[in-house]
Amino acid sequence: MGPRQKFLEFPFVRLFRGRRRGRLVRHYFATSLVLIGGGLIISGLVELYFSYHDTRDHIALLQQEMASGAAFRIEQFILGIERGMRATAKSRDMAVEGLSPKYKFELERLLLISPSITELTAIDTDGIDRVQVARFKRTFPNKQDQTMHQRSSPAFQTALQGKTYFGPVYFVRGSEPYIGLAVAIEQLPRNVIGVLRAEVDLRYVGEVISAVKAGNSGYAYVVTRSGELIAHPDISLVLQRTRVADLDQVKSAFQSTQGARRPKPLVALNLEGQRVLSSSAAIPGLEWAVIVERPVSEAYESLYASLLRTSGLLLVGLGVALLASIYVARRVVRPLQTLRLGAQRIGAGDLDFRLAVKTGDEIELLAEEFNRMVEKLKTSYDTLERQVQNRTRELSALYDVTATASQSLEVKPVLQEVIKKISDIFHLDATRIFLFDGRGEELQLRAAFGFDSDGLVPQTFHRGQGMVGTVAETAEAMIFEDIQVDTRYQEWTHSEASKKIGYRFFAVFPIKSKGRCLGCIVCNGRQPRRLTGEEIRLIESMTEQLGVAIDNINLFEELKEKTAQLQTANIELGEANRHKSQFLANVSHELRTPLNAIIGSTDNVLDRIAGELNEKQARYLARVQTNAEHLNLLIEDLLDLSVIEAGKMDIKAKNVFLASLVIEVAESLRPVAEKKPVDLEIGSMDANLTAWADRDRIVQVLNNLIGNAVKFTPPQGKVTVAAQRNGNGWVQVSVTDTGPGIPPEEADKIFDEFYQIPQAVRPKIKGMGLGLTIAKKLLEMHGGKIWVQSEPGKGSIFFFTLPAGEVVGVASREHSGFSVQKERD
């Protein structure tokens, strides 16, 4: 695959080569339908909801006031009779005459002023009737009169104690409701000489109830606690002594909280089985209740009207959405289709093609910016091809050296030149080659580059001895990213030579030829390192080529043919990896300028500098701006990665207050978390906790980890950031989320370049999979490390460590272009 084909596989180009997912007009109409129609439906439902509750509460309050007013008038009616009786029971004649026949005049006068009283009886303290007047002759049966005379009756006993007795409702002639009242007769204050008993006709209560009108067909009625009707607009129900104790509204009337000013409205069935909205008011002293009812269909007439209005607005909104879609199709979609077709041609490799969009608006400006970006890409591509050619010539020199071995019997100078080239290409600090002796039992050091502690390094190994002997015997490579922390290294060797010298990276590759292992090449680095798959394949290819060269010291003719074949194959395999970093740096740099121009132009258009926009155009351009900014962030990541891999990243370390730094980054991301919404918390940490680090680089790491946690945590979830000491000389930061978690088999892969967890395992989030890779490399440059603990369905915890104070070994080292410098606080 040549450089041009690889360029065409770049993610930005593939973006324009993807299959069409549907017409924009149809999508826009669906979006308009959802947004406009959904908004109208939601607003209508909200209006109906509040209108329903407001109407119900208003009607309930109105009915409650009606019921309370009627209850008040009825109560005042009964209390008025009571006051008249008390005034009569304390007349001035009573003080002189007592219960004499003359008292009859007072009773007759009370009958005159209180039409509802049908009979009055004055009873002495012995329970004997002394004076009796009646509006009608013998209105009540003798049994009632005899009961009243009994001294043990409740009315008699209550009145003698100076209290007013309000009797239960009873019915005369089986249909007319009456109530009995009794008060004490006092000759002098607190000198009770008898009881005044009155029988009261409750027809006046019916007159009060008849005057209560709730709407067009609402009504009120009075009921006792036992469920008997006292008054009702339909007098036949009272005369028939209809019992209503089983009605829900009657039960509620006597169960409601005393003194409640605004009870909840009750929807129930009335005697005719009709649904009514009911309110009630109790008359506590009489054990009565006034109930006001209104048919539900009448009460909610305004709701039905609101429903019709909302339906009409919804239809209008759908029509507006259709018209807007047609307008966008004619004004916006056609130029965008031209942009898409042009992008496909450019993505197919035609970098000489230019878009011709003449709309006279912002889309034309966008096309012009796109053409300028393609011009920059073409220039970048031409530059890249020249650099590829230069690097190819440089790499060919290595194969020229190995090819020389086929023409020379002096293998040591050739090996020395080979390992020097390998060290330069892969930025290794030290490289050694061990070859088997003539017997094939002992490995001898034949070439070394970069070692300055020869006394610590063994010169020979037996087959199977240590890692060098084991690799030579098994012909399988061994790679240790960091021998300082990798426990496998201790299991394979008891030698501390590499650690004492200060090496972190350690790898042994077999040198093979024709299925036989001729020896090993040992690679060392002072920085931890993870070899990519392409780098491993390239080294293995080089060792095979070297093995062929060594083997062909005695097979001169065969070496020529094999070397030529391997030279061609290895050049093709090594091109992508050798030029990846430089390609990413150049392309990222060249993309940033046109992208910034696009973003700036889009900002100006959205700020109405070029003229007014309608809502649809603004939304479309906002989407372009969002995608361009996202692409700019991806380019920043690519540029950071290329700078790190090129060894040009500087770490300026100083003492940093870690707690304040964590809080600062978390607060900057809080608006993003609240918008989702996700609860972003700061865990407990020591305010004086310090780390020896480059502040800007750690901000970059925290932004990545906290931002990822917020993105992958579902709404209503939580993200917690904490920091603490981790042993002597280290601090540890943790970012905990309640997201979907990471499967164990994916935990080690997420730090690889461009790796993303499959969408079936974790929701797809925009990005190229570089954030964690960059964070890992930055932390390793500080001497720290990063790892993750996670369980699917239970969230994840990302940890990383930093030195707690200045570390001399880290602060002073410079390796492969990386530098960590001490910065004054």
Side-chain angles (χ1 to χ4, degrees):
M1 183 181 295
R4 187 178 185 88
Q5 288 73 17
K6 291 186 178 183
F7 166 75
L8 296 180
E9 291 302 318
F10 193 67
F12 173 73
V13 178
R14 294 202 305 268
L15 179 65
F16 292 98
R17 298 180 65 187
R19 63 184 181 86
R20 185 174 63 181
R21 299 182 181 273
R23 294 184 61 81
L24 186 59
V25 177
R26 183 169 62 251
H27 290 174
Y28 186 84
F29 176 73
T31 302
S32 301
L33 182 64
V34 171
L35 294 179
I36 299 177
L40 290 173
I41 291 174
I42 293 173
S43 64
L45 292 176
V46 171
E47 179 186 355
L48 287 177
Y49 175 83
F50 287 105
S51 178
Y52 167 78
H53 284 278
D54 291 342
T55 302
R56 185 183 65 178
D57 294 343
H58 175 73
I59 294 174
L61 180 60
L62 182 61
Q63 292 184 180
Q64 178 67 30
E65 291 175 352
M66 291 180 180
S68 299
F72 177 78
R73 290 196 295 275
I74 293 171
E75 186 177 33
Q76 291 303 310
F77 162 68
I78 299 298
L79 293 178
I81 295 175
E82 182 215 11
R83 286 193 295 271
M85 291 176 63
R86 284 192 175 278
T88 302
K90 296 179 181 180
S91 66
R92 284 179 289 181
D93 294 336
M94 183 66 64
V96 178
E97 301 292 339
L99 286 176
S100 65
K102 293 182 179 181
Y103 189 56
K104 184 175 182 180
F105 171 78
E106 295 291 338
L107 300 184
E108 289 175 343
R109 186 166 65 86
L110 181 57
L111 282 180
L112 182 63
I113 64 177
S114 299
S116 298
I117 299 177
T118 59
E119 184 178 64
L120 288 167
T121 305
I123 309 167
D124 62 16
T125 55
D126 294 326
I128 301 173
D129 294 351
R130 300 295 299 275
V131 181
Q132 183 176 17
V133 296
R135 194 175 301 278
F136 309 104
K137 187 176 181 180
R138 307 303 298 172
T139 303
F140 307 102
N142 292 333
K143 187 175 183 179
Q144 287 285 343
D145 296 337
Q146 293 173 359
T147 301
M148 189 61 199
H149 295 166
Q150 295 178 359
R151 295 183 60 183
S152 59
S153 67
F156 188 83
Q157 294 297 328
T158 301
L160 284 180
Q161 296 175 8
K163 302 177 182 178
T164 301
Y165 172 78
F166 298 92
V169 176
Y170 61 92
F171 291 81
V172 176
R173 290 181 290 275
S175 61
E176 299 176 8
Y178 275 75
I179 185 175
L181 273 68
V183 301
I185 301 174
E186 298 179 347
Q187 187 173 23
L188 295 173
R190 298 186 180 180
N191 182 18
V192 178
I193 62 173
V195 173
L196 178 61
R197 168 69 183 263
E199 306 299 328
V200 180
D201 187 351
L202 297 179
R203 283 179 295 179
Y204 175 79
V205 176
E207 296 175 3
V208 174
I209 292 303
S210 298
V212 177
K213 296 296 182 182
N216 296 326
S217 55
Y219 54 88
Y221 57 91
V222 182
V223 64
T224 66
R225 180 178 288 276
S226 61
E228 292 187 315
L229 283 173
I230 299 175
H232 195 281
D234 186 355
I235 191 62
S236 64
L237 296 177
V238 179
L239 297 178
Q240 294 172 10
R241 299 192 63 180
T242 303
R243 295 184 62 84
V244 294
D246 294 332
L247 295 180
D248 292 338
Q249 54 267 47
V250 174
K251 296 177 182 177
S252 176
F254 291 101
Q255 291 175 355
S256 60
T257 304
Q258 184 177 3
R261 294 186 177 182
R262 193 173 184 181
K264 292 182 179 179
L266 175 67
V267 177
L269 299 177
N270 62 8
L271 289 172
E272 289 78 23
Q274 183 183 18
R275 285 170 55 82
V276 294
L277 187 63
S278 173
S279 299
S280 61
I283 309 176
L286 301 175
E287 297 292 323
W288 299 352
V290 178
I291 299 176
V292 178
E293 295 179 347
R294 185 180 184 184
V296 171
S297 58
E298 177 185 327
Y300 294 159
E301 284 179 352
S302 61
L303 289 179
Y304 304 146
S306 179
L307 180 60
L308 291 176
R309 289 195 302 272
T310 302
S311 301
L313 289 174
L314 176 60
L315 293 176
V316 172
L318 295 180
V320 171
L322 178 60
L323 294 176
S325 300
I326 296 173
Y327 174 81
V328 169
R330 293 182 176 179
R331 191 74 180 92
V332 178
V333 174
R334 290 176 185 174
L336 289 179
Q337 287 177 341
T338 303
L339 287 173
R340 179 179 61 81
L341 294 175
Q344 286 180 343
R345 290 196 53 182
I346 294 170
D350 186 3
L351 296 181
D352 294 324
F353 178 80
R354 297 296 180 268
L355 295 173
V357 177
K358 302 297 181 182
T359 59
D361 56 16
E362 296 78 14
I363 296 179
E364 181 178 345
L365 295 176
L366 181 61
E368 292 174 356
E369 291 295 338
F370 196 91
N371 288 336
R372 282 193 285 271
M373 182 183 70
V374 174
E375 186 66 33
K376 293 290 185 181
L377 282 175
K378 185 175 184 302
T379 303
S380 177
Y381 167 72
D382 293 339
T383 303
L384 177 64
E385 279 197 331
R386 289 193 299 270
Q387 292 173 346
V388 167
Q389 293 172 359
N390 294 335
R391 292 292 288 170
T392 301
R393 287 193 296 269
E394 182 179 310
L395 187 61
S396 297
L398 173 62
Y399 290 98
D400 292 340
V401 171
T402 57
T404 330
S406 62
Q407 303 174 2
S408 173
L409 297 177
E410 295 295 330
V411 68
K412 187 171 181 178
V414 175
L415 295 181
Q416 195 67 34
E417 187 66 22
V418 167
I419 62 173
K420 184 178 184 302
K421 288 289 185 182
I422 292 176
S423 299
D424 291 341
I425 292 174
F426 293 98
H427 304 292
L428 298 172
D429 290 300
T431 311
R432 291 171 288 165
I433 291 180
F434 290 87
L435 297 178
F436 277 116
D437 60 7
R439 297 177 301 165
E441 293 296 330
E442 187 176 70
L443 290 158
Q444 298 176 348
L445 179 64
R446 302 296 298 274
F449 175 79
F451 279 91
D452 53 5
S453 302
D454 293 338
L456 297 175
V457 179
Q459 302 293 312
T460 59
F461 289 93
H462 293 288
R463 180 184 293 272
Q465 178 188 1
M467 281 180 288
V468 174
T470 301
V471 171
E473 185 175 40
T474 62
E476 296 291 337
M478 287 187 178
I479 302 173
F480 300 89
E481 297 175 10
D482 189 350
I483 62 175
Q484 302 289 346
V485 297
D486 196 330
T487 57
R488 297 179 303 145
Y489 180 79
Q490 298 295 338
E491 296 174 359
W492 279 102
T493 181
H494 298 289
S495 172
E496 296 292 329
S498 294
K499 287 187 177 181
K500 290 179 179 179
I501 297 174
Y503 294 133
R504 304 285 292 273
F505 172 72
F506 189 96
V508 184
F509 293 92
I511 300 174
K512 297 181 291 186
S513 176
K514 299 179 182 179
R516 297 180 300 110
C517 184
L518 306 179
C520 299
I521 180 170
V522 182
C523 304
N524 291 101
R526 297 184 184 276
Q527 292 283 351
R529 180 173 182 177
R530 170 175 288 184
L531 293 177
T532 65
E534 192 69 21
E535 288 174 328
I536 293 174
R537 286 191 294 271
L538 183 57
I539 293 176
E540 290 175 345
S541 177
M542 289 181 175
T543 57
E544 290 178 3
Q545 182 69 21
L546 180 61
V548 171
I550 297 171
D551 196 28
N552 283 352
I553 294 286
N554 301 317
L555 300 172
F556 178 75
E557 294 299 331
E558 185 178 354
L559 177 63
K560 289 183 179 180
E561 180 181 356
K562 294 297 181 180
T563 303
Q565 294 175 355
L566 289 174
Q567 178 181 355
T568 302
N570 286 328
I571 289 176
E572 293 180 355
L573 288 175
E575 282 179 345
N577 187 67
R578 288 192 300 272
H579 303 294
K580 178 184 67 176
S581 297
Q582 192 165 1
F583 170 79
L584 292 177
N586 289 339
V587 171
S588 299
H589 179 73
E590 296 298 334
L591 285 175
R592 291 175 68 186
T593 301
L595 270 178
N596 288 334
I598 291 175
I599 294 172
S601 298
T602 308
D603 283 338
N604 291 338
V605 174
L606 288 174
D607 290 339
R608 307 310 195 265
I609 293 177
E612 290 299 322
L613 297 175
N614 59 41
E615 181 182 352
K616 308 308 178 294
Q617 290 172 331
R619 186 180 303 166
Y620 234 89
L621 286 172
R623 193 174 300 168
V624 171
Q625 182 188 43
T626 299
N627 289 332
E629 290 176 347
H630 175 67
L631 183 57
N632 194 35
L633 292 177
L634 297 182
I635 292 172
E636 290 289 346
D637 284 346
L638 286 172
L639 189 57
D640 284 345
L641 181 63
S642 64
V643 171
I644 292 174
E645 291 192 341
K648 298 179 180 179
M649 178 71 73
D650 291 334
I651 298 297
K652 297 180 179 179
K654 65 177 181 178
N655 283 321
V656 175
F657 285 99
L658 195 57
S660 60
L661 182 62
V662 169
I663 293 173
E664 175 186 331
V665 175
E667 290 300 325
S668 69
L669 293 173
R670 189 172 300 280
V672 179
E674 292 175 347
K675 183 177 179 181
K676 195 165 184 179
V678 168
D679 185 10
L680 180 55
E681 292 186 355
I682 305 298
S684 61
M685 61 182 79
D686 185 357
N688 296 321
L689 194 64
T690 59
W692 182 254
D694 186 323
R695 189 180 192 280
D696 293 338
R697 301 306 176 189
I698 302 307
V699 167
Q700 187 175 356
V701 172
L702 287 171
N703 268 318
N704 180 272
L705 295 181
I706 301 175
N708 278 354
V710 172
K711 285 193 293 184
F712 285 106
T713 299
Q716 311 304 326
K718 184 169 71 172
V719 174
T720 305
V721 188
Q724 61 184 8
R725 298 191 182 276
N726 182 6
N728 293 327
W730 295 94
V731 293
Q732 176 177 296
V733 178
S734 64
V735 180
T736 306
D737 64 63
T738 58
I742 302 171
E745 64 273 12
E746 303 289 340
D748 291 334
K749 301 177 183 178
I750 61 176
F751 297 103
D752 292 344
E753 297 174 12
F754 303 106
Y755 184 80
Q756 292 180 317
I757 296 177
Q759 189 170 357
V761 178
R762 201 176 195 191
K764 178 67 174 176
I765 298 295
K766 291 183 178 180
M768 297 180 64
L770 291 178
L772 290 178
T773 302
I774 294 172
K776 180 176 183 294
K777 290 180 180 295
L778 290 175
L779 291 170
E780 289 175 346
M781 291 170 64
H782 284 80
K785 62 178 181 177
I786 184 171
W787 70 97
V788 63
Q789 293 179 359
S790 181
E791 184 176 348
K794 296 185 178 180
S796 307
I797 307 176
F798 281 82
F799 300 92
F800 69 84
T801 58
L802 291 168
E806 180 178 357
V807 181
V808 176
V810 174
S812 61
R813 70 169 181 249
E814 291 189 7
H815 168 56
S816 301
F818 294 132
S819 65
V820 183
Q821 304 169 1
K822 180 176 180 181
E823 184 175 282
R824 292 184 178 272
D825 292 338

